[in-house]
Amino acid sequence: MDKLISLREAIASVADGSLVALGGNVLHRAPMAACMELARQGRRGLRLVKTAGAMDVDLLCMAGCVASVDAGFISYETEYSLASHYRRAVQEGRVAGNEHACYTVISALRAASAGIPFMPVKGLLYGDLPAVNDYFAEVTDPFSGQKLYAVRAIRPDVCIVHVQKAERNGNAGIQGPKFDDVLMSRASGRVIVTAETIVPDRYFARNGQDADIPHFLVEAVVHVPKGAAPCSCAGFYEIDRTALDAFKALKTEAELAAYLAVHGQDTYGRKGGGNGRWEW
């Protein structure tokens, strides 16, 4: 089944208020083209899930797309400092920052992927997280009577991941660190894949590889060269520091609109739905 569609079409399927998991980690393989398209389409009330986010979450908060963020860490890498738009949105009460440890996000996604309502996390016995997040609750081990904490399952409505290679039918392969993308694809109701390269049908089978995300989990595939830029994508490109610095300097909605016009869908050769660059 051919699932290759345009970026605009794929993002149009993400309804306001959706619980959206974003793949990648900090400034690496984040689905930035998709995030920019969410901002361009004016999505509102999104509830984001991410273990460790940076520009993706920051941009969507600046654009007014976000109602809440469940994450263990939202900030840039050391030289880029804090995610100021996210921080300001939380401080002003426009975005609810549901504080996790990265591991509790992973545990919540594991629970969803297993079809169970919660996952025990012993580490929550130490620290103050249960006092600030109602996703956590005290439970008792029925076998030993030991006190534990549990994290409620998080089942995203949709997850958006950027990969290096995908077949038109949805099979997708990740080069380099996989982060939490594979887990997110198992925990979510729908999966949208953006890809650097569209490879021929049965590419993974012919090359003796298993697809990291199998076709039956994927609803849509979008061909988006440099779809993680200005973040990095292993094996393809490094961080675009000039574009990242330009974003960090933005102050107003008008400046963001101008930035999206320059660094949007067609920047870096993004076409969002063509036949792709075939690779054997």
Side-chain angles (χ1 to χ4, degrees):
M1 180 179 178
D2 192 339
K3 300 178 180 178
L4 191 64
I5 63 175
S6 71
L7 184 61
R8 182 182 298 275
E9 289 175 292
I11 297 306
S13 73
V14 180
D16 287 352
S18 294
L19 184 59
V20 181
L22 299 174
N25 188 277
V26 196
L27 293 175
H28 308 288
R29 211 170 35 72
M32 288 309 308
C35 290
M36 292 181 188
E37 185 62 20
L38 285 166
R40 275 194 297 273
Q41 292 192 19
R43 211 54 81 240
R44 291 293 179 265
L46 299 180
R47 295 166 294 143
L48 303 183
V49 178
K50 181 117 186 188
T51 51
M55 184 180 176
D56 46 3
V57 175
D58 210 25
L59 184 148
L60 289 170
C61 286
M62 185 182 188
C65 300
V66 181
S68 67
V69 178
D70 284 271
F73 176 86
I74 303 293
S75 186
Y76 290 81
E77 295 174 17
T78 304
E79 66 183 285
Y80 295 105
S81 188
L82 299 173
S84 59
H85 303 297
Y86 166 75
R87 180 178 183 178
R88 186 176 302 112
V90 172
Q91 287 177 327
E92 294 175 356
R94 292 181 284 111
V95 170
N98 299 323
E99 190 169 355
H100 284 258
C102 290
Y103 186 70
T104 64
V105 177
I106 291 169
S107 296
L109 292 169
R110 283 177 175 165
S113 69
I116 56 178
F118 64 87
M119 184 70 70
V121 181
K122 186 174 181 179
L124 286 170
L125 290 169
Y126 313 101
D128 299 323
L129 276 178
V132 298
N133 190 335
D134 62 8
Y135 270 82
F136 309 133
E138 185 177 324
V139 294
T140 301
D141 178 352
F143 300 102
S144 68
Q146 180 185 12
K147 172 185 171 181
L148 295 169
Y149 277 91
V151 57
R152 186 193 314 168
I154 297 178
R155 181 170 175 77
D157 298 311
V158 58
C159 76
I160 306 173
V161 299
H162 186 69
V163 305
Q164 285 86 353
K165 297 178 181 180
E167 298 173 6
R168 300 173 73 102
N169 69 355
N171 285 327
I174 298 170
Q175 180 177 334
K178 294 175 174 54
F179 306 123
D180 310 304
D181 297 36
V182 172
L183 175 60
M184 285 179 175
S185 73
R186 274 60 168 177
S188 301
R190 302 191 294 123
V191 180
I192 295 172
V193 167
T194 63
E196 292 291 328
T197 303
I198 302 301
V199 294
D201 294 347
R202 296 188 55 77
Y203 171 89
F204 296 102
R206 282 199 305 269
N207 286 278
Q209 302 174 22
D210 291 331
D212 294 299
I213 303 175
H215 64 90
F216 56 82
L217 294 178
V218 177
E219 180 176 277
V221 177
V222 185
H223 178 225
V224 193
K226 287 218 167 181
C231 298
S232 75
C233 185
F236 281 71
Y237 45 87
E238 297 299 326
I239 294 169
D240 182 340
R241 297 175 185 277
T242 299
L244 191 58
D245 286 339
F247 172 76
K248 289 283 290 177
L250 301 181
K251 303 296 183 185
T252 67
E253 291 183 7
E255 290 174 342
L256 176 61
Y259 181 90
L260 292 175
V262 173
H263 297 281
Q265 179 175 339
D266 294 323
T267 305
Y268 309 113
R270 294 174 180 156
K271 301 300 178 186
N275 288 330
R277 175 166 61 88
W278 296 99
E279 182 173 306
W280 296 91

